[in-house]
Each structure stands twice: as C-alpha cells, then as structure tokens.
Amino acid sequence: MDKPAPKTNSQTVTRSALTVASGTLLSRIFGALRDAVIAAVFSLKHTDAFFIAFTIPNSLRVLLGEGAISGAFVPVLSQTHEREPERYNHVFGALFGMMGLILFAVTALGVLCAPYLVSMFAAGYLEHPEKFDLTVQLTQVVFPYIFLMGIAALFTASLHTLGVFSVPAFSPVFLNIALISAAFVLPSWLRLHGYPAVLSLSLGALAGGVLQILSQLPVLLKRKAMALPRIDFKDPAVRKALRLLLPLILGLGTYQLNVMASRLLASFLATGAQSYLYYSQRLVEIPQGMIALAIGAAALPTLSKLISKGEHQAAQQTLNDAWRLSLFITIPATVFLTGFADATVSVVLGRGNFDSEQIRQTGAALRAQAIGIWAISSVRILIPLFHANSDTRSPVKASMINLAIFVTSSVVLMQFWGHQGIAASIALAGIAQLAVLILLSRRTGLSPSLRPVLHSSWRIVVCSMPMMLLLLGVNHFFNWAVQKSSWLSIAVYLGTTLLAAIVYTGMAKLIRLPEQQHFFDAFRRRK
C-alpha cells in the first residue's frame, strides 16, 4: 500500500488555519448574538459608555496580549522547541513570570488612572459629566480583563507552538457566552442594589477572561508544557523576547493610537457614533478574524521554524500561498459586506432598542469600513513574515504611516460624513499600510511574489462581480431598515447569502481558480 504523501508547509498552514477559522467562526456567531443582545437590551447612551470602557483594556490586550506574544514570544518558543526542547518549560515559565509582572503593573495603573484614560479616549464626554462618570466606573471594573487575556494569550502561544490549534481557537467563545449571560441575568440584580445595569457587561467580560484561561489549562498540563511563573531575565531566550517585544509594542502602540484617535474623534459627534463604529468594526472582524487572523496564527510557527532552518524559499512559498488563500475569502467578503451592509446590520442587530435609523447609521459605517477588509486582512498575513524573521521594526514604520493617514483623513472626512468618514478613513489607512509593508518586505529577502498574487486577485474580483449584482438587485426590492429583523428579512438574507456563495464558487470553478481547489482539498483532508 502506498504511503500518503507528506504534507507540504502550505498544506500544514492551511489545515491549521481551517481549525482556527472554525473556532473563530463559532466565536463570531456568538459574538454577533452578543452584539444583538447588547443592542436590544441597552440604550445607545449606555453602550457608548461601555464600548469606550471596554476599548481601553481591549486595546492593551492587542498590545500586551495577542500582538506582543505572537510577535515576540511565538518565534522564541518555536525556536526553543525546535533546537532545545529540554529547555522549553523553563523558557515558558520565565516568559510567564515576565508577562505576569508587566500585566499586573498595567492593570493596577489602569484602575488608578481610569479618569485620565477616559479623557484621552473620549474627551468629548467631559461635556457630559454623567456619561463621563459612568464610563470611568465601567473602565475601573473591566480593566483587570487585560491581565486575564494576557495570560490566556500566553497559553495560546504555547499551544500554537506545540501544534495545538483547536482548543485556543474555540476558547474565545466563552467570552461571548459570559457577556450574553451577564446581559440577561445581572441587570435586574444590579439595579436592585443601586448600580447601573450596564455594569453587567464589565462583570461578564471578567468572567469570560477567567473561562478562557481555564479552558486551555488542561491541555497544557496534559502536554506537559505548563510551568509555574519564574523571574529569570538573564535567560538568553527571555532577553531575545524582550528585544523583539520593545519595538513590537511601539508598532502596536502606534496602531492603538489609531484606535484611540477614532474613539476620541467620535466622542465629539452625536450620541450613537461610538456604538455605530463599534458595531461596524465587529461585523468587519468576522471575515478578518475568521480568515486573516487564523492564517496568520497558523503561519507564524511554520514560518519561524522554516527561517530558523534556513529554508527561505519554502518560507516564501508558504507566505505566498497563505496570502492568496486569504484573498480568496476576503475579496468576496469585501464585496458582500459593502453591497449588503444595511441587510447585515438589520438582521444581526435590528431588534429591541435598535431602530431603523440606527440600522441606517450603522450600515453607513459598515459600508465605508468594509472597503478595506481585503487590505487589512492582507496586512495581518504579511506581518508574521517580519516577526518570524525577528524584524519587529518594519511593521512599526508601516503602522506610523497608517496612523498619519487615518488621523488626517478622519479630521477631513468627518466634517462631511460624520462617523462614516471615520470608518472610511480606517479603510484608507489600511490600504496605505499594506502598500508600505509590501515595499519593506523587499528588505527581508523573503518578499512575496506579487505577480501571482495580483493575477489571482483580479480573477477573484471577476468572480465576485455577479455576486454584487445579485446583492444590489435584492436591495432594490427589499427595505432592510423598515423590515428590521423580521422572519421574512432573516429568510431573505439567508437565502440571498447562500445564493451569493453559490454564484461566487460557481464562477471560481468555471474559471478554475486554484485557490478554491486548494481550500476545499485542505478542508476535505483536514482530519
């Protein structure tokens, strides 16, 4: 009997990415349900306050959690596991101790400095003392979320290094379940004891962070890849992680300035602007998180190992295949959410307190922001190339360009289009950042081959055009804002979405897109 062909690096990345994407899809489904519950239960005044409060530690989560750990810790853990497996637990424990100290200090400062942080993220709220005070209170309660999520991200990094993707992929579901449960269970009890009902969301976020840690711990113990935190700044691996971490934090910090700027600018707009931008961001993160983050998370350990072995050509091919696979999903996702923005908002959020005007305003933000889905997803695919090559400085430069373009265009466009102008600026800045990363990748010697990527891209765009015509036709005959989330609108939305997927995949098969075959082959053989 013939032995099965060994997996290629690209196949390994694709299958790992599908595992991550499956978990992310489930999390996004629960996330959409979570947002629907929040929109239905709480007023815009309260959600504006909570989304600012949650954005502050959540921004630091990206900075000190997934971003820093994936960029600085995964390459170190991967190389240790590859070259010195007997030292793996020691290095993990030392990194655990270092991150624990950093996260504890940041959490304590965040709780103490909450009023100043809210002033930085939402200076416009200073004109509304009641709203400002509520936001500060919510921020102080939810801030320990950064500590919990930083530890969860470290556990995820270790599992990814060991090739375990399923458990960390599904763990974010617990955050959404905790927030949904808190929104249903706690408001009445909180009101009874004199607290604002929206405080339930801050408490739910903390519960979700604890559950994400506990869900990963048994697997780490089973794989004997768990160690108690220790302080050892003299360890060479820890020192290397620190060298990678500092410029990485600078780069991610630049991105978080972008987030802060969007919240700050929106705080000077009418009530609801924060919520419209938040909801639209959550919706565009469905394809970005399900595909781009999944592929990026799966590719980083493989790229790190290939580069550490000196197999640069294999690393370049792996990156190229990952990018084209990402575009196969994110270009039609861009077309779908651009053409079906009001429909998506109506079906996901259009119930309870969320009325037709709020559907239109959120749809406008979603339409503008969705234009950049393919570009921002591509950025997330390319950044692991630099991190795997121990280059954390180049992404910093690209992030600074992103920030400059975002702030400049936001200040101009919001004068004409309000929150929609800020959303459009996010897309424009993402496209600029992608262009800069492509130019800087030439210095690594591992830059992706643009010709096959561009060739695939225009063919994917061609396959997406009939789908866009279908969506525009349905929009012409159906008023999504008026219908809200009725059974009829849900049925029309689901039917149109299914038909759009059939049209797109049918066109891809007709012109024989290799990315489609690659995707479905990996899906069929995933087990």
Side-chain angles (χ1 to χ4, degrees):
M1 179 181 291
D2 295 336
K3 294 182 179 180
K7 296 179 183 178
T8 67
N9 294 308
S10 295
Q11 288 173 329
T12 299
V13 170
T14 302
R15 291 167 193 173
S16 298
L18 284 171
T19 300
V20 177
S22 299
T24 305
L25 175 60
L26 182 62
S27 177
R28 298 302 182 189
I29 291 172
F30 274 91
L33 179 59
R34 170 190 107 186
D35 292 338
V37 170
I38 291 173
V41 172
F42 301 100
S43 68
L44 286 177
K45 176 184 174 181
H46 284 157
T47 56
D48 277 1
F50 173 73
F51 292 147
I52 286 293
F54 191 53
T55 293
I56 298 172
N58 207 39
S59 298
L60 291 171
R61 175 186 64 82
V62 175
L63 191 64
L64 297 174
E66 290 95 328
I69 287 173
S70 65
F73 287 17
V74 169
V76 170
L77 289 172
S78 296
Q79 290 173 12
T80 301
H81 188 260
E82 185 71 25
R83 298 172 183 175
E84 304 175 277
E86 71 282 355
R87 294 190 66 244
Y88 184 85
N89 279 20
H90 178 87
V91 172
F92 176 82
L95 293 176
F96 192 175
M98 180 180 70
M99 280 305 297
L101 282 176
I102 294 172
L103 291 167
F104 181 80
V106 169
T107 299
L109 284 172
V111 173
L112 292 172
C113 300
Y116 304 102
L117 291 171
V118 172
S119 298
M120 292 169 59
F121 275 79
Y125 287 10
L126 291 169
E127 300 176 4
H128 307 279
E130 184 181 347
K131 191 174 186 179
F132 179 83
D133 291 342
L134 174 61
T135 306
V136 170
Q137 182 184 12
L138 296 175
T139 302
Q140 290 174 324
V141 174
V142 81
F143 214 94
Y145 173 80
I146 174 59
F147 181 89
L148 299 170
M149 296 308 295
I151 300 303
L154 179 61
F155 288 4
T156 296
S158 182
L159 291 173
H160 283 179
T161 301
L162 299 175
V164 179
F165 290 89
S166 56
V167 173
F170 287 92
S171 66
V173 172
F174 290 110
L175 172 63
N176 293 320
I177 292 175
L179 283 166
I180 292 169
S181 302
F184 279 124
V185 173
L186 294 180
S188 297
W189 183 86
L190 287 169
R191 289 193 197 98
L192 185 64
H193 290 79
Y195 295 102
V198 73
L199 187 63
S200 60
L201 297 178
S202 292
L203 296 172
L206 296 182
V210 172
L211 291 173
Q212 283 190 250
I213 292 174
L214 295 178
S215 67
Q216 299 182 82
L217 188 57
V219 184
L220 282 170
L221 293 172
K222 183 178 180 181
R223 298 293 294 265
K224 296 181 179 179
M226 179 65 190
L228 293 175
R230 60 168 58 89
I231 305 301
D232 187 1
F233 288 100
K234 294 181 180 180
D235 189 285
V238 174
R239 290 185 174 183
K240 181 175 182 180
L242 279 172
R243 287 196 302 271
L244 294 173
L245 186 63
L246 293 177
L248 180 64
I249 287 178
L250 179 61
L252 290 171
T254 304
Y255 173 76
Q256 294 314 313
L257 288 174
N258 190 317
V259 174
M260 186 176 74
S262 69
R263 297 291 184 260
L264 178 63
L265 293 170
S267 73
F268 291 98
L269 299 175
T271 297
Q274 299 285 3
S275 298
Y276 303 146
L277 287 170
Y278 176 85
Y279 289 132
S280 65
Q281 178 66 43
R282 292 281 301 163
L283 290 169
V284 299
E285 282 178 355
I286 293 175
Q288 287 173 184
M290 191 175 72
I291 300 300
L293 288 181
I295 294 175
L300 181 56
T302 300
L303 289 171
S304 297
K305 290 175 183 178
L306 289 172
I307 290 173
S308 69
K309 293 178 182 178
E311 299 179 14
H312 290 175
Q313 186 173 356
Q316 185 181 46
Q317 184 61 48
T318 299
L319 176 71
N320 230 50
D321 291 344
W323 191 6
R324 291 166 62 189
L325 181 64
S326 171
L327 291 171
F328 174 71
I329 304 297
T330 56
I331 289 177
T334 299
V335 171
F336 180 86
L337 285 179
T338 303
F340 234 33
D342 287 352
T344 302
V345 173
S346 175
V347 169
V348 174
L349 302 172
R351 58 185 60 81
N353 289 326
F354 212 80
D355 60 27
S356 58
E357 177 60 20
Q358 292 168 20
I359 290 173
R360 280 191 286 267
Q361 295 291 351
T362 306
L366 176 58
R367 198 158 28 249
Q369 199 167 341
I371 295 171
I373 288 174
W374 64 275
I376 294 172
S377 298
S378 297
V379 166
R380 293 177 176 178
I381 296 297
L382 289 183
I383 283 178
L385 166 69
F386 297 94
H387 292 169
N389 205 37
S390 297
D391 176 9
T392 54
R393 289 178 173 82
S394 294
V396 172
K397 298 174 183 177
S399 295
M400 292 176 70
I401 296 295
N402 179 305
L403 176 63
I405 291 178
F406 170 74
V407 172
T408 303
S409 58
S410 289
V411 170
V412 174
L413 295 180
M414 68 183 286
Q415 306 300 321
F416 302 97
W417 299 320
H419 69 280
Q420 188 178 2
I422 297 175
S425 298
I426 295 173
L428 293 174
I431 294 170
Q433 184 180 7
L434 174 61
V436 173
L437 282 175
I438 291 172
L439 292 174
L440 293 176
S441 69
R442 302 291 180 182
R443 301 179 183 178
T444 66
L446 298 171
S447 58
S449 302
L450 288 181
R451 181 172 294 179
V453 172
L454 291 174
H455 180 70
S456 293
S457 297
W458 78 260
R459 297 179 75 196
I460 293 169
V461 170
V462 169
C463 292
S464 302
M465 286 303 98
M467 180 177 69
M468 173 59 91
L469 293 175
L470 169 66
L471 300 177
L472 294 177
V474 173
N475 286 338
H476 181 73
F477 293 103
F478 204 85
N479 190 330
W480 295 100
V482 172
Q483 288 290 334
K484 295 184 69 175
S485 189
S486 64
W487 286 111
L488 175 61
S489 65
I490 293 173
V492 172
Y493 183 86
L494 292 177
T496 305
T497 301
L498 178 61
L499 184 57
I502 292 172
V503 168
Y504 173 67
T505 54
M507 284 292 297
K509 186 173 181 63
L510 183 65
I511 68 172
R512 298 180 180 179
L513 264 183
E515 290 76 20
Q516 183 185 45
Q517 192 64 41
H518 183 188
F519 179 83
F520 286 111
D521 283 350
F523 186 79
R524 284 194 294 268
R525 300 171 189 170
R526 186 163 48 122
K527 297 181 181 179

